[in-house]
């Protein structure tokens, strides 16, 4: 099969299109014919070698954790699916090696759910990791009807899903973004606010009594800077800064594969409460450009690779 691989850590230049053996089927694994995959920041952070010691990588590695495709082969004990089923998933394995930037991927059955019928393969591939992260962060924070939620990086892959999920729960959402993305955020139902110097004051002007939940999808000093915006009893949840938990008594979330979570997202798509924003679609052979696009740090929604 054709796949994108890298044999050493480095810039996007290390990514190349190569011929690889087809993946092996396991007893609780399915082989999926990949129609589309998507890029997450973790992909290029791993590729750069930034996450050595935290995530095990076996080189040469095929990058990519998000997939949408069709079941090509079923394992000995995977009664949930049949050959030909359309699926999507966050194909997180213990080791980074056989990823989704390939024509075929071996996916543990615990990572896959049925693709939402209303989404194309390209749209579905944009969902799993970012959508599950948004969903799990919102669940952990306990967002409820009537609360005010501040979402940092609201126009990004995770943020755009989080804004919509929080709105669907009945929350008022304030979202940080640059000017270029503020109209987009209004379209999702959020009140946009520009990040950078003076952000806390701008949030205070919108929510003088404070916000109930901060969702930090940026890191850096964002958690500390937002602490002063919390209402009494408010909490901070971060996916990028563990001090949200250790110093601020809130939560740090590292997304886990979850069939139930994917099914919950599917229900929101089917109910018309969730939509997918795609910044750009690249062919598999141009995966390096897809990585570069996401690495810019300013894409709106998701970068997708069609296979
Ligand atoms: N712990 C986990 O499980 C987990 C899961 C997923 C992601 N993450 C991490 O969470 C972060 C976000 O992921 P993502 O997929 O959403 O990334 P992304 O799609 O690449 O985020 C891009 C967005 O970030 C916005 N942005 C950049 N700098 C900002 C700032 N200082 N304040 C507010 N917005 C800013 C940009 O908006 P403008 O263009 O308007 O500037 C852009 O829309 C990454 O660091 C990623 O590694 C962690």
């Amino acid at each position: 099969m054709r796949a994108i691989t890298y044999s050493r850590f480095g810039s996007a230049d290390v990514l190349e299109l190569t011929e690889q053996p087809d993946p092996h089927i396991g007893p609780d694994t399915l082989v999926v014919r990949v129609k589309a995959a998507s890029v997450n920041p973790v992909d290029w952070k791993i590729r750069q070698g930034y996450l050595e010691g935290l995530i095990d990588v076996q080189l040469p590695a095929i990058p990519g954790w998000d997939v949408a495709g069709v079941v090509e082969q079923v394992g000995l004990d995977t009664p949930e699916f049949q050959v030909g089923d359309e699926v999507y998933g966050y194909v997180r394995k213990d080791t980074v090696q056989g990823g989704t930037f390939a024509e075929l991927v071996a996916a543990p059955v615990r990572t896959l759910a049925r693709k939402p019928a209303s989404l194309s393969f390209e749209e579905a591939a944009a969902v799993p990791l970012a959508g599950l992260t948004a969903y799990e962060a919102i669940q952990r924070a306990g967002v409820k009807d009537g609360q005010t939620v501040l979402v940092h990086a609201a126009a990004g892959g995770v943020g755009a899903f989080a804004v919509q999920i929080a709105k669907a729960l009945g929350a008022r959402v304030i979202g940080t973004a640059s000017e270029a993305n503020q109209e987009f955020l209004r379209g999702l139902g959020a009140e946009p606010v520009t990040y950078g110097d003076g952000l806390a004051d701008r949030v205070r002007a919108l929510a003088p009594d404070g916000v109930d939940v901060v969702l930090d999808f940026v890191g850096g000093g964002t958690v500390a800077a937002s602490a002063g915006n919390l209402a009494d009893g408010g909490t901070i949840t971060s996916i990028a800064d563990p001090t949200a938990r250790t110093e601020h008594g809130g939560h740090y979330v590292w997304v886990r594969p979850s069939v139930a979570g994917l099914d919950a997202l599917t229900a929101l798509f089917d109910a018309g409460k969730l939509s997918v924003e795609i910044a750009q679609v690249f062919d598999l052979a141009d995966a390096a450009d897809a990585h570069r696009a996401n690495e810019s740090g300013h894409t709106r929604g998701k970068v997708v690779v069609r296979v």
Side-chain angles (χ1 to χ4, degrees):
M1 67 169 182
R2 291 183 319 143
I4 295 296
T5 53
Y6 58 102
S7 301
R8 59 187 169 85
F9 296 121
S11 74
D13 296 347
V14 301
L15 297 174
E16 46 186 3
L17 186 65
T18 57
E19 195 61 37
Q20 296 295 318
D22 288 356
H24 291 294
I25 186 91
D28 56 353
T29 301
L30 301 130
V31 172
V32 175
R33 182 153 295 275
V34 181
K35 297 284 190 184
S38 76
V39 187
N40 293 287
V42 73
D43 297 324
W44 54 259
K45 291 177 185 177
I46 293 171
R47 190 210 67 222
Q48 291 274 18
Y50 297 159
L51 301 186
E52 269 191 291
L54 194 63
I55 290 182
D56 184 34
V57 185
Q58 296 289 322
L59 298 175
I62 301 171
W65 280 340
D66 276 332
V67 73
V70 178
V71 174
E72 174 110 347
Q73 216 184 328
V74 292
L76 289 173
D77 184 15
T78 57
E80 296 92 333
F81 298 102
Q82 295 183 343
V83 170
D85 284 346
E86 297 185 349
V87 293
Y88 76 145
Y90 162 35
V91 187
R92 178 76 201 285
K93 305 176 192 175
D94 292 337
T95 300
V96 172
Q97 186 175 37
T100 58
F101 279 38
E103 289 177 320
L104 296 167
V105 67
V109 69
R110 65 183 164 77
T111 66
L112 294 177
R114 274 166 211 289
K115 177 178 88 61
S118 56
L119 299 188
S120 68
F121 284 108
E122 288 168 12
E123 289 170 326
V127 177
L129 192 154
L132 281 174
T133 305
Y135 181 76
E136 290 173 16
I138 281 172
Q139 283 216 314
R140 199 79 75 87
V143 172
K144 288 193 277 292
D145 189 10
Q147 288 188 323
T148 299
V149 178
L150 171 63
V151 178
H152 288 286
V158 178
F161 288 123
V163 167
Q164 297 177 79
I165 296 168
K167 288 294 293 182
L169 289 169
R172 173 192 177 199
V173 178
I174 298 169
T176 68
S178 65
E179 287 291 334
N181 283 320
Q182 303 215 339
E183 206 44 51
F184 167 65
L185 287 190
R186 278 191 200 96
L188 296 181
E191 295 162 55
V193 60
T194 309
Y195 58 81
D197 283 349
L199 171 61
D201 291 336
R202 289 189 288 281
V203 171
R204 204 164 291 117
L206 286 172
D209 297 332
V211 303
D212 301 298
V213 173
V214 172
L215 298 176
D216 166 43
F217 304 144
V218 174
T222 309
V223 163
S226 290
N229 284 124
L230 287 174
D232 279 351
T235 60
I236 301 184
T237 296
S238 179
I239 62 171
D241 181 354
T243 68
R245 180 176 63 80
T246 54
E247 287 175 30
H248 298 276
H251 308 279
Y252 174 74
V253 171
W254 183 281
V255 60
R256 297 177 184 178
S258 164
V259 175
L262 287 174
D263 286 343
L265 293 170
T266 297
L268 287 170
F269 284 114
D270 289 348
K273 291 183 174 168
L274 199 53
S275 63
V276 180
E277 177 73 14
I278 294 181
Q280 246 178 309
V281 181
F282 294 85
D283 289 325
L284 182 65
D286 299 323
D289 288 333
H291 268 217
R292 287 184 194 103
N294 182 250
E295 215 163 340
S296 76
H298 294 285
T299 42
R300 178 189 298 173
K302 294 281 304 180
V303 173
V304 169
V305 167
R306 82 165 76 81
V307 180

